[in-house]
Amino acid sequence: MQRIDSDLVRQCTLCEDLPLGPKPIFQFDVRAKILIAGQAPGRRTHERGMPFDDASGERLREWLGIERATFYDATQLAILPMGFCYPGSGKSGDLPPRPECAVQWRNALLEQLQTLELTLVIGCYALDWHLGKQQRENLTATVKAWQSYAPTRIPLPHPSPRNNRWLKQNPWFEQEVVPYVQQRIADILMSDLH
Ligand code: SF4
């Protein structure tokens, strides 16, 4: 296995045509037990330089039942979006994650996560990669089928306030899936103390 130094990834400038330039944003340590597999940083994350340091992150931490300190502890939790840099936006929102990233870095970083116990999968590109394209009908059906992926992978809707309507229309998510996710994460973090 080719070992990749994450400091090297942070210096990547492979995609020279990114609208705001390359600025890889991710969190990684080979000891991480939980992975958040998302899409790509948005403009705000690009500006702040920290993943999920916004209202989406607040909601995600609520769903996970953890504080910021645990969330940003790379030895516990890795955050590897499908593309590490802000890809720019088009008419219907942010552009897809840059495909160069998976080939150049992400796959190799994933291989180094040898103690991974749980992957939380957010967004259609991450769902395709982590759950398999052929298995996915649409987001709601995929999240509803969460038990077929648990306990090692759990599909989640994006925690963005833009999804408030979806959450209102699908109350089972916060009633059934969130308590499971919280318990699963508590068990993983607790097992570290023993
Ligand atoms: S998106 Fe990935 S491959 Fe492209 S510049 Fe950023 S880190 Fe490098």
Side-chain angles (χ1 to χ4, degrees):
M1 179 180 31
Q2 188 199 355
R3 220 175 162 82
I4 302 263
D5 182 349
S6 59
D7 286 340
L8 192 68
V9 185
R10 291 183 204 284
Q11 293 162 25
C12 178
T13 56
L14 186 67
C15 309
E16 291 172 345
D17 58 332
L18 286 163
L20 300 185
K23 185 176 178 183
I25 297 171
F26 61 95
Q27 178 168 298
F28 180 80
D29 186 288
V30 291
R31 292 165 288 180
K33 317 251 177 348
I34 300 161
L35 167 67
I36 295 179
Q39 193 109 322
R43 193 182 181 111
R44 196 180 154 96
T45 298
H46 173 90
E47 285 159 2
R48 293 192 167 208
M50 211 168 164
F52 291 106
D53 187 23
D54 55 10
S56 297
E58 289 305 321
R59 177 177 274 159
L60 183 57
R61 286 183 279 280
E62 273 175 33
W63 287 349
L64 273 51
I66 56 177
E67 303 291 329
R68 280 179 73 92
T70 307
F71 187 85
Y72 289 116
D73 179 351
T75 66
Q76 302 285 0
L77 197 141
I79 302 173
L80 295 178
M82 294 304 294
F84 296 162
C85 298
Y86 170 58
S89 60
K91 280 184 191 149
S92 52
D94 283 358
L95 294 172
R98 293 295 292 242
E100 295 91 332
C101 222
V103 181
Q104 185 72 19
W105 306 117
R106 190 173 186 270
N107 295 348
L109 290 176
L110 284 175
E111 274 186 37
Q112 291 178 46
L113 293 175
Q114 294 289 313
T115 56
L116 200 61
E117 295 183 41
L118 172 64
T119 301
L120 299 164
V121 192
I122 302 171
C124 60
Y125 294 93
L127 287 168
D128 285 348
W129 200 97
H130 287 276
L131 305 186
K133 206 168 191 165
Q134 67 286 1
Q135 296 179 41
R136 202 168 61 77
E137 295 171 47
N138 59 51
L139 176 78
T140 305
T142 305
V143 178
K144 221 166 192 166
W146 63 276
Q147 290 181 73
S148 54
Y149 305 109
T152 55
R153 299 167 299 167
I154 301 177
L156 298 180
H158 199 282
S160 162
R162 271 179 287 170
N163 264 344
N164 284 350
R165 200 160 148 229
W166 186 93
L167 290 167
K168 217 169 178 172
Q169 288 169 342
N170 296 280
W172 51 268
F173 172 74
E174 290 187 316
Q175 288 160 5
E176 295 167 23
V177 188
V178 168
Y180 177 86
V181 169
Q182 291 179 348
Q183 187 59 56
R184 180 90 178 89
I185 287 181
D187 290 347
I188 292 170
L189 296 177
M190 281 295 285
S191 70
D192 225 23
L193 302 175
H194 296 146

